[in-house]
Amino acid sequence: MKRTWLAGIIAVAAGAAFAQSGGDVVKSKGCLNCHAVDAKKMGPSFKDIAAKHKADKGAADAIAAKLKEGKGHPKVAASDAEIKSAVGYVLSQ
C-alpha cells in the first residue's frame, strides 16, 4: 500500500515538473501564427479574447472544448493539460 501511494506521488510530481507554461504552449502549438497577445492578426488578440470572456466563469471550459473539438476554431493537437494551460494564459492577458 505504501509503495503504491509513494509511486503515485512521484508520478504526479514528475508530471508537474514537465508541464509547460501557457506561454510555452501557445508558442509550441502554433497559436501565434494566427493570434498575437495585443494585436489582431488572422484571429483576435489574446487581450481581446480575455476582455470578451472576463465575466464568464465557464469561459475556460468552453474555449478548451472549442480547441479540442475544432468547432469555430481549428482543432488543436494538444493534451488536455496543455490546452488548459494555454487557455489560462490567454484569459490572463
Side-chain angles (χ1 to χ4, degrees), residues 14-58:
F18 294 113
Q20 289 183 314
S21 72
D24 291 338
V25 174
V26 299
K27 289 176 189 172
S28 68
K29 296 301 177 181
C31 303
L32 297 176
N33 293 335
C34 298
H35 300 277
V37 173
D38 58 1
K40 181 176 177 18
K41 285 175 109 176
M42 183 183 296
S45 72
F46 293 158
K47 287 186 177 188
D48 288 344
I49 294 168
K52 176 181 178 181
H53 298 287
K54 186 176 182 179
D56 184 1
K57 294 186 186 232

